[in-house]
Amino acid sequence: MVLPPPSRDRVYSIDVLRGIVMILMALDHVRDFFHTGAMTSDPLNPETTHTALYLTRWVTHFCAPVFVFLSGLSVFLMNSRKSKAEISKFLLTRGLWLILVEVTVVSLALSFNPLFSLFFLQVIWAIGVSFVLLALLVFLPWGAILALGAAITLSHNVLDFYEAQPGFQPGLLWELAHKPTYVPHQVFPGHSAIVLYPFLPWVGVMMLGYGCGRLFAPDVSPRLRQSVLVTAGFGMIGVFFLLRAVNVYGDPLRWEAWPTLSQTLFSFFNVQKYPPSLLYTCATIGPGLIALAALEHARGAVSAVCKVYGSVPFFYYVLHFYLIHGLTVIAFFASGYNASQIVDPQTPFLFRPADFGFSLPVVYLVWIGVVALLYLPCKRFAEYKRNRRKWWLSYV
C-alpha cells in the first residue's frame, strides 16, 4: 500500500466522535462520585434499577470501547508521516508512559490518597499495554493486525467456560489478562493494585481500530469508506442480537425473563464490560462505526464543541477526574460530613463515603457543570498543541 506525503491534518469525524464519548464518560464518573447508591448497588441490576438510572449507566458503555478503537485507528494514520520503526518506538514509550500515569496521576485523582495505598488499573493501563503490544505488531500488514484483532474479539469468551468451572481461582496474571476479581493484590507492603480492565480483549479492540484505519487512507473514497463503516456497524449490531437471542456464547452474563418487559430488556442488554465481551463490543463498536460515518460531513456548533474535547482526550481525562473529585470534597463538607468521615473502609475513595450521594438530576447538573468548566482549558490546550511541534505534546 503506497501512501501519500505526510500530513499533520487531524480527521474531523474522529475527533468529534472521540469528543462525544469523552463527554459521556464524564457522566459515568460523576455518577460514581455523586449518585446515592453508586457505591452500594448496580445500576444495571433489573431487580433494583429504574429506566433513567439504567440508561444513564448503559449509554456510557460506548466510551471505553469507542475510545480504544479510535486510538488504534489513530495509530494507523501515523503511517502517513512516520516509518514503522518510528511508530513502534513511539507506541512503546507512550504505552509505558500511560501505565506510569495510570498508577500515579490517575490513581491519585481517583483516591485522593497521597499515600498511594491502592493503585487502579483502568482504561489508561489497558491502552498502555495495548500500545506496547501493538509496538511489536505494527510491522505486520494492516490486514493481519485486523484479522488478529477480530480473532481475539471473537474467541476470548471461550475462556468464560473455563472460568465458570467450580473452584476456579484466577491468579494475578490471569486477572491482568482476562478475569478481574476486584480484589486488591499487594504490590509491596502497604500498597496494593486492583485490576479493573484486563488487557487482552482491549488489545483486540485496538487492533480492530488499527485495521479500520485503512478506510481513512487518502486512496479510499468517502463514499466507499462510509459504505463499509455503515455495513460493518449494522453487521456488528446484527451479531449482537443474534448471539444474544441464542444466549449461549459471547457474554458470560445470560439474560433472563423477568416479571416486567422493562426488566427483561434490562437483562437482555446487560452485557459484560469487565472484560468487554464479544456482545459488549458489538453493541458499542457497531453503533460507533455508524456514528463515525455519519459525522464525516457534520459541521456545526455542537460538533465543533465536541471536537475540542476530542482533540485533547488525555488532557481532558486527567483533568476531569481531579475536578470531579474536587467537587466531591466540597459537596462532602457542604453535606455535613466531617474530617473523621473522610476515610470509609467500604470505598477506596477519600471524601466519598458509601452513604454519600444525591439524586440523579443533581448528577446531571454536576456533569453539565464539569464538562462546561473544562471547555476553555481544553480549547486553549488544543490550540497550543496545534500551533507547536514539541515532542512531549504527543504524550499528553
Side-chain angles (χ1 to χ4, degrees):
M1 181 175 62
V2 179
L3 296 173
S7 171
R8 292 185 181 273
D9 293 337
R10 300 181 67 94
V11 178
Y12 189 89
S13 58
I14 294 175
D15 278 346
V16 174
L17 181 57
R18 186 187 287 120
I20 292 171
V21 299
M22 298 300 286
I23 291 170
L24 286 175
M25 174 195 67
L27 173 60
D28 195 38
H29 297 152
V30 169
R31 182 191 59 79
D32 282 335
F33 278 94
F34 276 86
H35 187 242
T36 181
M39 294 291 124
T40 57
S41 61
D42 180 3
L44 299 178
N45 183 351
E47 188 174 5
T48 58
T49 192
H50 55 84
T51 302
L53 178 59
Y54 186 94
L55 293 177
T56 298
R57 170 55 175 153
W58 203 97
V59 73
T60 62
H61 276 345
F62 290 98
C63 302
V66 171
F67 185 85
V68 173
F69 180 89
L70 294 179
S71 296
L73 197 159
S74 297
V75 171
F76 179 89
L77 297 180
M78 293 180 188
N79 283 292
S80 66
R81 59 183 187 273
K82 294 178 183 287
S83 68
K84 293 290 188 183
E86 290 172 328
I87 294 173
S88 179
K89 179 181 178 181
F90 172 74
L91 291 175
L92 177 61
T93 55
R94 189 162 195 233
L96 295 175
W97 161 247
L98 289 177
I99 294 171
L100 176 63
V101 168
E102 181 76 284
V103 299
T104 55
V105 178
V106 177
S107 288
L108 179 61
L110 286 170
S111 68
F112 267 22
N113 184 347
L115 300 178
F116 289 95
S117 302
L118 188 62
F119 304 109
F120 301 91
L121 300 182
Q122 293 197 109
V123 68
I124 297 297
W125 131 271
I127 292 174
V129 174
S130 298
F131 276 164
V132 170
L133 295 176
L134 195 56
L136 305 174
L137 298 171
V138 290
F139 298 98
L140 298 175
W142 68 270
I145 297 176
L146 176 63
L148 182 56
I152 293 173
T153 301
L154 289 168
S155 66
H156 79 85
N157 281 115
V158 171
L159 298 174
D160 297 341
F161 299 102
Y162 173 65
E163 294 165 353
Q165 293 180 1
F168 171 77
Q169 293 292 332
L172 178 58
L173 291 179
W174 193 279
E175 278 200 55
L176 292 172
H178 194 258
K179 178 68 174 178
T181 61
Y182 313 110
V183 175
H185 293 269
Q186 182 172 287
V187 180
F188 43 90
H191 303 275
S192 300
I194 184 168
V195 180
L196 299 175
Y197 278 68
F199 69 83
L200 179 62
W202 295 108
V203 173
V205 172
M206 182 171 287
M207 290 178 181
L208 290 177
Y210 183 92
C212 185
R214 178 64 180 86
L215 294 172
F216 289 81
D219 61 338
V220 177
S221 69
R223 183 176 181 179
L224 175 60
R225 175 168 53 251
Q226 291 176 359
S227 176
V228 174
L229 288 173
V230 170
T231 301
F234 278 111
M236 293 186 78
I237 294 172
V239 169
F240 166 79
F241 279 105
L242 177 62
L243 290 182
R244 195 57 169 161
V246 174
N247 211 24
V248 172
Y249 179 77
D251 196 287
L253 305 176
R254 303 289 187 254
W255 67 275
E256 300 175 348
W258 284 75
T260 68
L261 175 61
S262 61
Q263 288 179 309
T264 300
L265 290 174
F266 291 161
S267 178
F268 185 87
F269 285 99
N270 183 19
V271 285
Q272 181 175 271
K273 179 180 181 179
Y274 308 104
S277 67
L278 168 60
L279 296 186
Y280 175 92
T281 303
C282 288
T284 53
I285 298 298
L289 294 176
I290 297 170
L292 196 57
L295 291 169
E296 182 149 354
H297 300 296
R299 298 294 186 275
V302 174
S303 61
V305 169
C306 293
K307 184 180 184 298
V308 168
Y309 300 108
S311 299
V312 288
F314 180 76
F315 179 80
Y316 170 92
Y317 182 86
V318 173
L319 278 189
H320 99 287
F321 267 129
Y322 279 96
L323 178 56
I324 292 170
H325 208 155
L327 293 173
T328 303
V329 175
I330 296 173
F332 171 86
F333 287 111
S335 298
Y337 291 90
N338 57 57
S340 66
Q341 298 169 292
I342 291 175
V343 178
D344 184 340
Q346 297 183 65
T347 77
F349 314 122
L350 301 189
F351 304 96
R352 206 307 180 193
D355 62 352
F356 170 86
F358 304 90
S359 64
L360 205 55
V362 174
V363 170
Y364 274 85
L365 287 174
V366 175
W367 168 56
I368 293 170
V370 165
V371 174
L373 286 171
L374 291 176
Y375 178 74
L376 279 181
C378 289
K379 184 177 181 181
R380 298 279 174 80
F381 189 61
E383 292 171 350
Y384 183 85
K385 288 188 71 173
R386 186 166 56 248
N387 296 324
R388 287 165 177 79
R389 298 297 181 217
K390 300 183 184 224
W391 66 269
W392 58 269
L393 288 173
S394 298
Y395 291 82
V396 293

